[in-house]
Amino acid sequence: MDFKKIPGKKLKKLILSVADPVEKENRFDVVKILVDIGVPVDYIQQIFQSRVVKYFQKYKDVLEKLLMLKAKDLAVKFIRRILKNDILIVDEFLEFKVIVDYLAEIVQKNPKYKIPSGKFQDVCRKIEADYRKLHVENYDLPIDKNFDNIKLENGLVLEVPRRNHELIDMGVLMRNCLVYTEFGRRIWKEKSIIVFVYRNGNPVYVLEIDPDFYEIVQFYGPCNSKPDKDDEKIVRRYVRILRIGLE
């Protein structure tokens, strides 16, 4: 083991304090990878002074991929998350492993890909969305003109997505199931209408509407939150007027 690249006496002690030679070698490898990624020394010390260390050793392959991807910020955000909340660690690592695998495939197909910035969960969702867009066709969607660029009260504007990937992107912004669920096929088969609701150019709600009866199936804000009561009344009144026109 070459300790020349291991900064600080504390890290060296944390490695050398292990009696088992295999365990010692494993610790050395993890420390070296974390140092090479660019993880701050104090974070590395916290890892090896807590119960999470065994998981970093178990999922060493994830760290190696982060090093290969030069994903320092993503690694640091994950470590910070684990150190602050060390419950359900196995689930956290397994979920993160999937994200890192997604990222590796994205970068393999697009070496110029820039890892998103922002909060840890938002970055992971964006990576997953970009991965899904690699595997989902970006086809045109039918447009219902009754929901296309419709201006309502309270500054609300209704829009419909033009392309399938817009659904995935909106799922990231609104943190909802549009990221994961294949609504595009339902729209294309005219079994569903998805409507984006904006205010001042920012998305505030997403609607799912039954195209046969113009009934609202789902009406949610970010993270599937309930809509503002006044906004909901305005939108529902407009949809009701359309429904009456069908009768």
Side-chain angles (χ1 to χ4, degrees):
M1 291 182 285
D2 184 2
F3 283 89
K4 292 180 180 178
K5 292 185 178 181
I6 305 298
K9 294 181 179 179
K10 287 186 178 180
L11 281 184
K12 294 174 183 176
K13 284 183 179 180
L14 287 171
I15 297 169
L16 294 172
S17 62
V18 181
D20 183 82
V22 176
E23 176 74 6
K24 187 180 297 183
E25 186 74 33
N26 201 353
R27 279 201 173 198
F28 173 82
D29 291 342
V30 172
V31 170
K32 188 175 184 306
I33 293 170
L34 291 171
V35 169
D36 288 344
I37 289 173
V39 175
V41 172
D42 60 326
Y43 278 9
I44 301 175
Q45 289 175 356
Q46 288 180 59
I47 290 170
F48 281 85
Q49 291 170 341
S50 69
R51 72 188 186 97
V52 304
V53 61
K54 62 181 179 181
Y55 297 99
F56 280 86
Q57 293 177 178
K58 181 178 180 180
Y59 295 100
K60 188 168 62 176
D61 59 320
V62 177
L63 301 178
E64 289 171 343
K65 280 190 179 179
L66 288 169
L67 176 59
M68 177 191 70
L69 295 165
K70 299 179 180 179
K72 173 186 174 181
D73 289 344
L74 183 60
V76 170
K77 286 172 183 174
F78 175 69
I79 291 169
R80 187 185 299 130
R81 179 182 178 87
I82 289 294
L83 291 174
K84 283 185 177 180
N85 184 17
D86 64 354
I87 60 173
L88 301 175
I89 301 175
V90 174
D91 291 344
E92 290 281 1
F93 266 94
L94 289 175
E95 290 175 9
F96 187 57
K97 183 179 187 303
V98 172
I99 294 299
V100 174
D101 287 343
Y102 286 166
L103 180 59
E105 184 171 335
I106 293 170
V107 171
Q108 182 181 20
K109 294 185 177 181
N110 179 15
K112 294 183 179 180
Y113 179 79
K114 291 185 178 180
I115 301 174
S117 58
K119 295 181 179 179
F120 177 76
Q121 288 285 44
D122 293 339
V123 171
C124 290
R125 289 178 66 83
K126 183 66 170 67
I127 290 171
E128 182 168 5
D130 290 339
Y131 171 81
R132 289 185 181 279
K133 286 192 284 188
L134 286 177
H135 297 275
V136 177
E137 183 183 353
N138 190 24
Y139 47 82
D140 291 328
L141 298 173
I143 296 172
D144 189 316
K145 293 184 178 180
N146 289 310
F147 299 100
D148 186 33
N149 194 27
I150 304 298
K151 297 178 181 178
L152 303 177
E153 300 169 52
N154 274 7
L156 300 177
V157 179
L158 308 183
E159 295 279 2
V160 290
R162 262 70 176 162
R163 306 270 289 175
N164 186 45
H165 283 186
E166 291 178 37
L167 294 168
I168 299 175
D169 290 334
M170 184 58 74
V172 173
L173 290 173
M174 298 296 282
R175 302 178 186 180
N176 61 28
C177 62
L178 288 178
V179 172
Y180 315 107
T181 311
E182 187 52 67
F183 273 100
R185 291 295 174 191
R186 291 182 56 78
I187 299 172
W188 189 73
K189 294 177 181 179
E190 298 185 346
K191 292 183 177 181
S192 180
I193 300 171
I194 298 296
V195 180
F196 302 156
V197 185
Y198 293 85
R199 179 185 283 116
N200 298 324
N202 298 311
V204 287
Y205 308 112
V206 174
L207 310 179
E208 181 186 6
I209 296 174
D210 183 328
D212 294 325
F213 305 102
Y214 276 171
E215 291 183 348
I216 295 177
V217 180
Q218 299 187 72
F219 187 164
Y220 292 117
C223 302
N224 291 331
S225 60
K226 293 182 179 180
D228 174 83
K229 290 183 179 179
D230 290 337
D231 290 345
E232 185 176 9
K233 286 180 181 178
I234 292 168
V235 174
R236 287 189 179 278
R237 183 168 64 241
Y238 175 74
V239 176
R240 187 167 59 250
I241 292 170
L242 293 176
R243 185 166 62 249
I244 292 172
L246 290 176
E247 298 174 350

